[in-house]
Coordinates of all heavy atoms in Angstrom, one line a residue:
M1 N 35.8 125.0 121.9 CA 34.4 125.2 121.8 C 33.8 123.7 121.5 O 34.2 123.1 120.6 CB 34.0 126.1 120.7 CG 32.6 126.3 120.5 SD 32.2 127.4 119.2 CE 33.4 128.5 119.0
D2 N 32.8 123.4 122.3 CA 32.1 122.2 122.1 C 30.8 122.2 121.3 O 30.4 121.2 120.6 CB 31.7 121.5 123.5 CG 33.0 121.2 124.3 OD1 34.0 120.7 123.7 OD2 32.9 121.3 125.5
A3 N 30.2 123.4 121.3 CA 29.0 123.5 120.5 C 28.6 125.0 120.2 O 29.1 125.9 120.9 CB 27.8 122.9 121.3
V4 N 27.8 125.1 119.2 CA 27.3 126.4 118.8 C 25.8 126.2 118.6 O 25.4 125.3 117.8 CB 27.9 127.0 117.5 CG1 27.2 128.3 117.1 CG2 29.4 127.3 117.8
V5 N 25.0 126.9 119.3 CA 23.5 126.9 119.1 C 23.1 128.3 118.7 O 23.5 129.3 119.2 CB 22.8 126.4 120.4 CG1 21.4 126.4 120.2 CG2 23.4 125.2 120.8
F6 N 22.1 128.4 117.8 CA 21.8 129.6 117.1 C 20.8 130.5 117.8 O 21.0 131.7 117.9 CB 21.4 129.4 115.7 CG 21.0 130.6 114.9 CD1 22.0 131.5 114.5 CD2 19.8 131.0 114.7 CE1 21.7 132.7 113.8 CE2 19.4 132.2 114.0 CZ 20.6 133.0 113.6
D7 N 19.7 130.0 118.3 CA 18.6 130.8 118.7 C 18.8 131.4 120.0 O 18.6 130.9 121.1 CB 17.3 130.0 118.6 CG 16.2 130.7 117.9 OD1 16.4 131.9 117.6 OD2 15.1 130.1 117.7
R8 N 19.3 132.7 120.1 CA 19.7 133.4 121.3 C 18.6 133.6 122.3 O 18.9 133.3 123.5 CB 20.2 134.8 120.9 CG 20.8 135.6 121.9 CD 21.3 136.9 121.4 NE 21.8 137.8 122.5 CZ 23.1 137.7 123.0 NH1 23.9 136.7 122.4 NH2 23.4 138.5 124.0
P9 N 17.4 133.9 122.0 CA 16.3 134.1 123.0 C 16.1 132.8 123.8 O 16.0 132.8 125.1 CB 15.1 134.5 122.3 CG 15.6 135.2 121.1 CD 16.9 134.4 120.7
Q10 N 16.0 131.8 123.1 CA 15.8 130.4 123.8 C 17.0 130.1 124.7 O 16.7 129.5 125.8 CB 15.5 129.3 122.8 CG 14.2 129.4 122.2 CD 14.1 130.4 120.9 OE1 14.9 131.2 120.7 NE2 13.0 130.3 120.2
L11 N 18.2 130.3 124.2 CA 19.3 130.0 125.1 C 19.4 130.9 126.3 O 19.6 130.5 127.4 CB 20.6 130.3 124.2 CG 20.9 129.2 123.2 CD1 22.0 129.7 122.3 CD2 21.1 127.8 123.8
L12 N 19.0 132.3 126.2 CA 19.0 133.1 127.3 C 17.9 132.7 128.3 O 18.2 132.7 129.5 CB 18.8 134.5 126.8 CG 20.0 135.2 126.1 CD1 19.5 136.5 125.5 CD2 21.2 135.4 127.1
Y13 N 16.8 132.2 127.8 CA 15.7 131.8 128.7 C 16.2 130.5 129.5 O 16.0 130.4 130.6 CB 14.5 131.5 127.8 CG 13.4 130.9 128.7 CD1 12.6 131.8 129.5 CD2 13.0 129.6 128.8 CE1 11.6 131.4 130.2 CE2 12.0 129.1 129.5 CZ 11.3 130.0 130.2 OH 10.2 129.5 131.0
Y14 N 16.8 129.6 128.8 CA 17.4 128.4 129.3 C 18.4 128.7 130.4 O 18.2 128.1 131.5 CB 18.0 127.5 128.3 CG 18.6 126.2 128.9 CD1 17.8 125.1 129.2 CD2 20.0 126.1 129.2 CE1 18.3 124.0 129.8 CE2 20.5 125.1 129.8 CZ 19.7 124.0 130.1 OH 20.3 122.9 130.6
L15 N 19.3 129.5 130.2 CA 20.3 129.9 131.2 C 19.8 130.6 132.4 O 20.2 130.3 133.5 CB 21.4 130.8 130.6 CG 22.3 130.1 129.5 CD1 23.3 131.1 129.0 CD2 23.1 128.9 130.2
K16 N 18.7 131.5 132.1 CA 18.1 132.1 133.3 C 17.4 131.1 134.3 O 17.4 131.3 135.4 CB 17.1 133.1 132.8 CG 16.4 133.8 133.9 CD 15.5 134.9 133.4 CE 14.9 135.7 134.6 NZ 13.9 136.6 134.2
N17 N 16.9 130.0 133.8 CA 16.1 129.1 134.5 C 16.8 127.8 134.8 O 16.2 126.9 135.5 CB 14.8 128.8 133.7 CG 13.9 130.0 133.6 OD1 13.4 130.4 134.6 ND2 13.8 130.6 132.4
N18 N 18.1 127.7 134.5 CA 18.8 126.5 134.8 C 20.2 126.9 135.3 O 20.7 127.9 134.9 CB 19.0 125.6 133.6 CG 17.6 125.1 133.1 OD1 17.2 124.1 133.6 ND2 17.0 125.7 132.1
N19 N 20.8 126.1 136.1 CA 22.1 126.3 136.6 C 23.0 125.8 135.5 O 23.4 124.7 135.4 CB 22.3 125.5 138.0 CG 23.6 125.9 138.5 OD1 24.4 126.8 138.1 ND2 24.0 125.1 139.6
A20 N 23.4 126.8 134.7 CA 24.2 126.4 133.5 C 25.6 127.2 133.6 O 25.9 128.0 132.7 CB 23.5 126.7 132.3
E21 N 26.3 127.0 134.7 CA 27.5 127.8 134.8 C 28.6 127.5 133.8 O 29.5 128.2 133.6 CB 28.1 127.5 136.3 CG 27.2 127.9 137.4 CD 27.7 127.5 138.7 OE1 28.8 127.0 138.8 OE2 27.0 127.8 139.7
K22 N 28.5 126.3 133.1 CA 29.5 126.0 132.1 C 29.2 126.6 130.8 O 30.0 126.5 129.9 CB 29.6 124.5 132.0 CG 30.0 123.8 133.2 CD 30.1 122.2 132.9 CE 30.5 121.5 134.1 NZ 30.5 120.1 133.9
F23 N 28.1 127.3 130.7 CA 27.8 127.9 129.3 C 27.9 129.3 129.3 O 27.9 130.1 130.3 CB 26.3 127.6 129.1 CG 26.0 126.1 128.9 CD1 25.4 125.4 130.0 CD2 26.4 125.4 127.8 CE1 25.1 124.1 129.8 CE2 26.1 124.1 127.6 CZ 25.5 123.4 128.7
Y24 N 28.3 129.9 128.1 CA 28.5 131.4 127.9 C 27.8 131.7 126.6 O 27.9 131.0 125.6 CB 30.0 131.7 127.9 CG 30.3 133.1 127.5 CD1 30.0 134.1 128.5 CD2 30.6 133.4 126.2 CE1 30.3 135.4 128.1 CE2 30.8 134.7 125.9 CZ 30.6 135.7 126.8 OH 30.9 137.0 126.5
I25 N 27.1 132.8 126.6 CA 26.5 133.3 125.4 C 27.2 134.6 125.0 O 27.2 135.5 125.8 CB 25.0 133.5 125.5 CG1 24.3 132.2 125.8 CG2 24.4 134.3 124.3 CD1 22.8 132.3 126.0
S26 N 27.8 134.6 123.9 CA 28.4 135.8 123.3 C 27.5 137.0 123.2 O 26.3 136.8 122.9 CB 29.0 135.6 122.0 OG 29.5 136.7 121.4
K27 N 28.0 138.2 123.5 CA 27.2 139.4 123.4 C 27.1 139.9 122.0 O 26.2 140.6 121.7 CB 27.8 140.4 124.3 CG 27.8 140.2 125.8 CD 28.2 141.4 126.6 CE 28.2 141.1 128.0 NZ 27.1 140.4 128.6
A28 N 27.9 139.4 121.1 CA 27.8 139.7 119.7 C 26.6 139.1 119.1 O 26.3 138.0 119.3 CB 29.1 139.2 119.0
E29 N 26.0 139.9 118.2 CA 24.8 139.4 117.5 C 25.0 139.6 116.0 O 25.2 140.7 115.5 CB 23.5 140.1 117.9 CG 23.1 139.9 119.4 CD 21.8 140.5 119.7 OE1 20.9 140.5 118.9 OE2 21.6 141.0 120.8
Y30 N 24.9 138.5 115.2 CA 25.2 138.7 113.8 C 23.8 138.2 113.1 O 23.1 137.3 113.6 CB 26.2 137.6 113.3 CG 27.5 137.8 114.1 CD1 27.8 136.9 115.1 CD2 28.4 138.8 113.8 CE1 29.0 137.1 115.8 CE2 29.5 139.0 114.5 CZ 29.9 138.1 115.6 OH 31.1 138.2 116.2
S31 N 23.4 138.9 112.1 CA 22.2 138.6 111.4 C 21.0 138.5 112.3 O 20.3 137.6 112.3 CB 22.4 137.3 110.6 OG 23.4 137.4 109.7
K32 N 20.8 139.6 113.1 CA 19.6 139.6 113.9 C 18.3 139.4 113.2 O 18.1 140.0 112.1 CB 19.6 140.9 114.7 CG 18.6 140.9 115.9 CD 18.8 142.2 116.7 CE 17.9 142.1 117.9 NZ 18.2 143.3 118.7
Q33 N 17.5 138.5 113.7 CA 16.3 138.1 113.1 C 15.1 138.4 114.0 O 15.2 138.3 115.2 CB 16.3 136.6 112.6 CG 17.4 136.4 111.7 CD 17.4 134.8 111.3 OE1 16.9 134.0 112.0 NE2 18.1 134.6 110.3
G34 N 14.0 138.5 113.4 CA 12.8 138.8 114.2 C 11.9 137.5 114.0 O 12.2 136.5 113.4
Y35 N 10.8 137.6 114.8 CA 9.7 136.6 114.7 C 8.5 137.2 114.1 O 8.2 138.4 114.2 CB 9.5 136.0 116.1 CG 10.7 135.2 116.6 CD1 11.7 135.9 117.4 CD2 10.9 133.9 116.3 CE1 12.8 135.2 117.8 CE2 12.0 133.2 116.8 CZ 13.0 133.8 117.5 OH 14.0 133.2 118.0
G36 N 7.6 136.3 113.7 CA 6.4 136.8 113.2 C 5.2 135.8 113.5 O 5.4 134.7 114.0
F37 N 4.0 136.2 113.2 CA 2.8 135.5 113.4 C 2.2 135.3 112.0 O 2.2 136.2 111.2 CB 1.8 136.2 114.3 CG 2.4 136.4 115.7 CD1 2.9 137.6 116.0 CD2 2.2 135.4 116.6 CE1 3.4 137.8 117.3 CE2 2.7 135.6 117.9 CZ 3.3 136.8 118.3
A38 N 1.7 134.1 111.8 CA 1.1 133.8 110.5 C -0.4 133.5 110.8 O -0.8 132.9 111.7 CB 1.6 132.5 109.9
F39 N -1.2 134.2 109.9 CA -2.7 134.1 110.0 C -3.2 133.7 108.6 O -2.6 134.0 107.6 CB -3.3 135.4 110.4 CG -2.9 135.9 111.8 CD1 -1.9 136.9 111.9 CD2 -3.5 135.4 112.9 CE1 -1.6 137.3 113.2 CE2 -3.1 135.8 114.2 CZ -2.2 136.8 114.3
P40 N -4.4 133.1 108.6 CA -5.0 132.9 107.3 C -5.3 134.2 106.6 O -5.5 135.2 107.3 CB -6.4 132.1 107.7 CG -6.1 131.6 109.0 CD -5.2 132.6 109.7
T41 N -5.4 134.2 105.3 CA -5.7 135.4 104.5 C -7.1 135.9 105.0 O -8.0 135.2 105.3 CB -5.8 135.0 103.1 OG1 -4.6 134.4 102.6 CG2 -6.1 136.3 102.2
N42 N -7.1 137.2 105.2 CA -8.3 137.9 105.6 C -8.7 137.6 107.0 O -9.9 137.7 107.4 CB -9.4 137.8 104.6 CG -9.0 138.4 103.3 OD1 -8.4 139.4 103.2 ND2 -9.4 137.7 102.2
S43 N -7.8 137.1 107.9 CA -8.2 136.7 109.2 C -8.6 138.0 110.0 O -8.0 139.1 109.9 CB -7.0 136.2 110.0 OG -7.3 136.0 111.4
E44 N -9.6 137.8 110.9 CA -10.0 139.0 111.8 C -9.0 139.4 112.7 O -9.1 140.4 113.4 CB -11.4 138.7 112.3 CG -12.5 138.6 111.3 CD -13.8 138.1 111.9 OE1 -14.0 138.2 113.2 OE2 -14.8 137.8 111.1
L45 N -8.1 138.5 113.0 CA -7.1 138.7 114.1 C -5.9 139.6 113.7 O -5.3 140.2 114.5 CB -6.5 137.3 114.6 CG -7.4 136.4 115.2 CD1 -6.7 135.0 115.5 CD2 -7.9 137.0 116.5
I46 N -5.7 139.8 112.4 CA -4.5 140.5 111.9 C -4.5 141.9 112.5 O -3.5 142.3 113.1 CB -4.5 140.5 110.4 CG1 -4.3 139.1 109.9 CG2 -3.4 141.5 109.9 CD1 -4.4 139.0 108.4
F47 N -5.6 142.7 112.3 CA -5.6 144.1 112.8 C -5.4 144.2 114.4 O -4.6 145.0 114.8 CB -6.9 144.8 112.4 CG -6.9 146.2 112.9 CD1 -6.3 147.2 112.2 CD2 -7.6 146.5 114.1 CE1 -6.4 148.5 112.7 CE2 -7.8 147.8 114.5 CZ -7.1 148.8 113.9
S48 N -6.2 143.3 115.1 CA -6.1 143.5 116.5 C -4.6 143.0 117.1 O -4.1 143.6 118.0 CB -7.2 142.7 117.2 OG -7.1 141.3 116.9
V49 N -4.1 141.9 116.6 CA -2.8 141.6 116.9 C -1.7 142.6 116.5 O -0.8 143.0 117.5 CB -2.4 140.2 116.3 CG1 -1.0 139.9 116.5 CG2 -3.3 139.1 116.9
N50 N -1.8 143.2 115.4 CA -0.8 144.2 114.9 C -0.9 145.4 115.9 O 0.1 146.0 116.4 CB -1.0 144.6 113.6 CG -0.5 143.6 112.6 OD1 0.4 142.9 112.9 ND2 -0.9 143.6 111.3
R51 N -2.2 145.8 116.2 CA -2.4 147.0 117.0 C -1.9 146.7 118.5 O -1.3 147.6 119.0 CB -3.9 147.2 117.0 CG -4.2 148.6 117.8 CD -5.7 148.8 117.8 NE -6.0 150.0 118.7 CZ -6.7 151.0 118.3 NH1 -7.3 151.0 117.2 NH2 -6.8 152.0 119.1
T52 N -2.2 145.5 119.0 CA -1.7 145.2 120.3 C -0.1 145.2 120.4 O 0.5 145.7 121.3 CB -2.2 143.9 120.8 OG1 -3.7 143.9 120.8 CG2 -1.7 143.4 122.2
L53 N 0.5 144.6 119.4 CA 2.0 144.6 119.3 C 2.5 146.1 119.2 O 3.5 146.3 119.9 CB 2.4 143.7 118.1 CG 2.2 142.3 118.2 CD1 2.6 141.5 116.9 CD2 3.0 141.7 119.4
L54 N 1.8 146.8 118.5 CA 2.3 148.3 118.3 C 2.2 149.0 119.7 O 3.0 149.7 120.1 CB 1.5 149.0 117.3 CG 1.8 150.5 117.0 CD1 3.3 150.6 116.7 CD2 1.0 151.0 116.0
E55 N 1.1 148.8 120.4 CA 0.8 149.4 121.7 C 1.8 148.9 122.7 O 2.4 149.7 123.5 CB -0.6 149.1 122.3 CG -1.7 149.8 121.5 CD -3.0 149.3 121.8 OE1 -3.2 148.4 122.6 OE2 -4.0 150.0 121.2
L56 N 2.2 147.6 122.7 CA 3.1 147.1 123.6 C 4.5 147.7 123.4 O 5.3 148.0 124.3 CB 3.2 145.5 123.5 CG 2.1 144.7 124.0 CD1 2.2 143.3 123.6 CD2 2.1 144.8 125.5
S57 N 4.8 147.8 122.1 CA 6.2 148.4 121.7 C 6.2 149.9 122.1 O 7.2 150.4 122.7 CB 6.3 148.3 120.2 OG 7.5 148.9 119.8
E58 N 5.1 150.6 121.9 CA 5.1 152.1 122.2 C 5.2 152.3 123.7 O 5.7 153.3 124.2 CB 3.8 152.7 121.6 CG 3.9 152.9 120.2 CD 2.6 153.5 119.6 OE1 1.6 153.5 120.3 OE2 2.7 153.9 118.4
N59 N 4.6 151.4 124.5 CA 4.6 151.5 126.0 C 5.9 150.9 126.6 O 6.0 150.7 127.9 CB 3.4 151.0 126.6 CG 2.1 151.7 126.1 OD1 2.2 152.9 126.0 ND2 1.0 151.0 125.9
E60 N 6.8 150.4 125.8 CA 8.0 149.8 126.2 C 7.7 148.5 126.9 O 8.5 148.0 127.7 CB 8.9 150.7 127.0 CG 9.3 151.9 126.3 CD 10.2 152.9 127.1 OE1 10.5 152.5 128.2 OE2 10.5 153.9 126.5
Q61 N 6.5 147.9 126.8 CA 6.2 146.7 127.4 C 6.9 145.5 126.9 O 7.3 144.5 127.5 CB 4.7 146.4 127.3 CG 3.8 147.2 128.3 CD 4.1 146.8 129.7 OE1 4.8 147.5 130.5 NE2 3.6 145.7 130.1
T62 N 7.2 145.5 125.5 CA 7.9 144.4 124.9 C 9.3 144.2 125.6 O 9.7 143.1 125.8 CB 8.1 144.6 123.4 OG1 8.6 145.9 123.1 CG2 6.8 144.4 122.7
E63 N 9.9 145.3 125.8 CA 11.3 145.2 126.5 C 11.2 144.7 127.9 O 12.0 143.8 128.4 CB 11.9 146.6 126.5 CG 13.4 146.6 126.9 CD 14.3 145.9 125.9 OE1 14.0 145.9 124.7 OE2 15.3 145.4 126.3
R64 N 10.1 145.1 128.7 CA 9.9 144.5 130.0 C 9.6 143.0 129.9 O 10.1 142.2 130.8 CB 8.7 145.2 130.7 CG 9.1 146.7 131.1 CD 7.9 147.3 131.8 NE 8.2 148.7 131.9 CZ 7.5 149.7 131.3 NH1 6.5 149.3 130.6 NH2 7.8 150.9 131.4
I65 N 8.8 142.6 129.0 CA 8.5 141.2 128.8 C 9.8 140.4 128.5 O 10.0 139.3 129.1 CB 7.4 141.0 127.7 CG1 6.1 141.6 128.1 CG2 7.3 139.5 127.4 CD1 5.0 141.7 127.1
I66 N 10.6 140.9 127.5 CA 11.8 140.3 127.2 C 12.7 140.1 128.4 O 13.3 139.1 128.7 CB 12.5 141.0 126.0 CG1 11.7 140.8 124.7 CG2 14.0 140.5 125.8 CD1 12.1 141.8 123.6
N67 N 12.9 141.3 129.1 CA 13.8 141.2 130.3 C 13.3 140.2 131.4 O 14.0 139.5 132.0 CB 13.8 142.6 131.0 CG 14.7 143.6 130.2 OD1 15.6 143.2 129.4 ND2 14.4 144.9 130.3
Y68 N 11.9 140.1 131.5 CA 11.4 139.2 132.5 C 11.7 137.7 132.1 O 12.1 137.0 133.0 CB 9.9 139.4 132.5 CG 9.2 138.3 133.5 CD1 9.2 138.6 134.8 CD2 8.6 137.2 133.0 CE1 8.6 137.6 135.7 CE2 8.0 136.3 133.9 CZ 8.0 136.5 135.2 OH 7.5 135.6 136.0
Y69 N 11.7 137.4 130.9 CA 11.8 136.0 130.4 C 13.3 135.6 130.2 O 13.7 134.5 130.3 CB 11.0 135.7 129.3 CG 9.5 135.5 129.6 CD1 8.6 136.5 129.4 CD2 9.2 134.3 130.2 CE1 7.3 136.2 129.8 CE2 7.8 134.1 130.7 CZ 6.9 135.0 130.4 OH 5.6 134.8 130.8
I70 N 14.1 136.6 129.6 CA 15.4 136.1 129.2 C 16.6 136.8 129.7 O 17.8 136.3 129.7 CB 15.5 136.0 127.7 CG1 15.5 137.4 127.0 CG2 14.5 135.1 127.1 CD1 15.6 137.5 125.5
K71 N 16.5 138.0 130.3 CA 17.6 138.7 130.8 C 18.1 138.1 132.2 O 17.2 137.8 133.0 CB 17.4 140.2 131.0 CG 17.1 140.9 129.6 CD 18.4 141.1 128.9 CE 18.1 141.7 127.5 NZ 18.6 142.9 127.2
K72 N 19.3 138.0 132.4 CA 19.8 137.5 133.7 C 19.6 138.5 134.8 O 19.7 139.8 134.4 CB 21.3 137.1 133.6 CG 21.5 135.9 132.8 CD 23.0 135.5 133.0 CE 23.2 134.2 132.4 NZ 24.6 133.6 132.7
D73 N 19.3 138.1 135.9 CA 19.2 139.1 137.1 C 20.5 139.7 137.3 O 21.6 139.0 137.3 CB 18.8 138.3 138.4 CG 17.4 137.7 138.2 OD1 16.6 138.3 137.3 OD2 17.1 136.7 138.9
E74 N 20.6 141.0 137.6 CA 21.9 141.6 137.8 C 22.1 141.9 139.2 O 21.3 141.9 140.1 CB 21.8 143.1 137.1 CG 21.7 142.8 135.5 CD 21.7 144.0 134.8 OE1 22.3 145.1 135.2 OE2 21.0 144.1 133.7

């Protein structure tokens, strides 16, 4: 092994968009982490962003977006 890089989504995006035949990403996921958004206290955006994220999740749009950007074509 020559290197280990941690952030899986960015690596999958890179591999999808670059000819990186020498690279392999393990299917194993340890300590899966999520991402978040930070807003100032009492920001008017908090409710609308949370609601939109919930709607995207309920309509399975988040999975489609993820597949579009980082899943390899089968």
Side-chain angles (χ1 to χ4, degrees):
M1 176 180 336
D2 293 327
V4 174
V5 180
F6 181 72
D7 228 351
R8 183 178 181 85
Q10 287 82 345
L11 289 172
L12 290 170
Y13 180 79
Y14 176 83
L15 289 179
K16 181 177 179 182
N17 293 288
N18 295 278
N19 186 8
E21 295 175 6
K22 295 180 181 180
F23 297 104
Y24 172 78
I25 296 179
S26 171
K27 294 190 186 314
E29 292 186 39
Y30 308 102
S31 301
K32 191 170 185 174
Q33 297 176 346
Y35 293 91
F37 297 93
F39 297 100
T41 303
N42 299 322
S43 170
E44 295 178 12
L45 295 174
I46 295 170
F47 178 79
S48 62
V49 169
N50 283 339
R51 183 178 178 134
T52 301
L53 291 172
L54 180 59
E55 289 172 356
L56 288 170
S57 178
E58 288 176 344
N59 296 324
E60 299 180 4
Q61 283 294 105
T62 49
E63 193 65 28
R64 289 185 193 111
I65 293 167
I66 290 167
N67 286 335
Y68 176 81
Y69 283 102
I70 66 174
K71 297 283 174 122
K72 288 189 173 186
D73 298 335
E74 296 182 30

